[in-house]
Amino acid sequence: GENVEQHPSTLSVQEGDSAVIKCTYSDSASNYFPWYKQELGKRPQLIIDIRSNVGEKKDQRIAVTLNKTAKHFSLHITETQPEDSAVYFCAASRTGRRALTFGSGTRLQVQP
Amino acid sequence: AAGVIQSPRHLIKEKRETATLKCYPIPRHDTVYWYQQGPGQDPQFLISFYEKMQSDKGSIPDRFSAQQFSDYHSELNMSSLELGDSALYFCASSLAGSTSEQYFGPGTRLTVT
């Protein structure tokens, strides 16, 4: 089955700085890669996703890049704000009605 | 916009008891997924349903069962509860087709004492 590794496990940045979270996956058949933001005790919220037919996708301050050859993808958050503080999970799956395999999560702390 | 609804939001049970968790997907979504998230852990996939048929199966214990009904809502039935079953249980839904976005409900926090 799929295995997703995520780094770092914790990340502390100053407000206004950029944050980068990296994930690798094992199943070469995976072609859908979402990112979720989860605040304590709340639901995972889909913030951005990318499919294997594109290498990069951007939505305002967040962007995701995908390198299918190396089987890794990354989340980039620019101009971080305190409200960006949360746990971020990457995930991978095959498209269609497929389960998500999550990474272990990154706790992002944005210091004001 | 309507979101995934889960009930109850909190549930306290004793060991060896049973529990039933309910999930109402986003309107027009026909696929439901169940995930279990322990403290400080990532969500782990349990089981999914599409058009009332089991679609995929993950690390769901034999003590658990689930089904999807004709109105697309789903129920997760848990029997012989153990202390280790204490977790957040999330339901997610998606619309079949080319898209794969899964939207999560608010979760049910199950505490087994």
Side-chain angles (χ1 to χ4, degrees):
Chain A
E2 176 65 275
N3 181 51
V4 178
E5 294 191 359
Q6 182 172 347
H7 301 280
S9 57
T10 60
L11 181 59
S12 182
V13 300
Q14 290 294 124
E15 183 176 359
D17 287 351
S18 295
V20 180
I21 302 170
K22 299 182 179 182
C23 290
T24 60
Y25 62 98
S26 62
D27 185 356
S28 57
S30 289
N31 51 14
Y32 174 65
F33 308 93
W35 287 86
Y36 286 85
K37 174 184 180 182
Q38 187 177 32
E39 297 176 10
L40 188 62
K42 301 289 182 64
R43 76 186 79 191
Q45 286 187 295
L46 179 65
I47 57 173
I48 195 167
D49 57 13
I50 190 168
R51 291 173 175 79
S52 59
N53 57 343
V54 297
E56 184 173 356
K57 183 177 179 181
K58 190 173 182 180
D59 183 5
Q60 299 183 348
R61 295 187 297 110
I62 59 173
V64 58
T65 59
L66 171 65
N67 183 328
K68 279 217 75 176
T69 303
K71 293 186 196 169
H72 67 71
F73 56 113
S74 301
L75 177 71
H76 305 251
I77 306 175
T78 59
E79 302 173 21
T80 54
Q81 301 166 3
E83 51 265 39
D84 294 329
S85 297
V87 177
Y88 290 80
F89 289 99
C90 63
S93 80
R94 304 180 185 186
T95 50
R97 300 175 296 278
R98 295 292 187 165
L100 296 172
T101 299
F102 286 85
S104 54
T106 296
R107 181 172 300 279
L108 173 65
Q109 183 72 40
V110 180
Q111 306 288 348
Chain B
V4 177
I5 297 172
Q6 289 187 248
S7 67
R9 296 291 309 278
H10 303 273
L11 192 57
I12 300 174
K13 291 286 185 178
E14 294 187 356
K15 283 192 304 183
R16 292 179 290 278
E17 286 191 320
T18 61
T20 297
L21 279 53
K22 296 184 179 182
C23 168
Y24 297 85
I26 292 171
R28 297 194 304 116
H29 282 198
D30 49 17
T31 306
V32 169
Y33 311 79
W34 287 96
Y35 292 87
Q36 177 192 58
Q37 187 177 29
Q41 305 292 314
D42 56 286
Q44 293 289 316
F45 171 69
L46 295 177
I47 196 166
S48 63
F49 291 88
Y50 166 66
E51 288 290 348
K52 294 155 288 192
M53 298 287 288
Q54 182 179 305
S55 176
D56 207 354
K57 192 172 184 180
S59 53
I60 185 169
D62 292 341
R63 300 177 289 108
F64 294 5
S65 65
Q67 57 183 326
Q68 185 180 33
F69 295 86
S70 56
D71 63 352
Y72 296 107
H73 94 272
S74 178
E75 295 184 3
L76 177 65
N77 299 292
M78 311 161 73
S79 63
S80 302
L81 287 169
E82 302 173 356
L83 295 178
D85 296 329
S86 296
L88 266 171
Y89 289 84
F90 289 105
C91 170
S93 73
S94 70
L95 187 60
S98 60
T99 184
S100 300
E101 293 101 344
Q102 293 184 26
Y103 296 94
F104 281 71
T108 294
R109 181 174 295 282
L110 173 66
T111 303
V112 181
T113 62

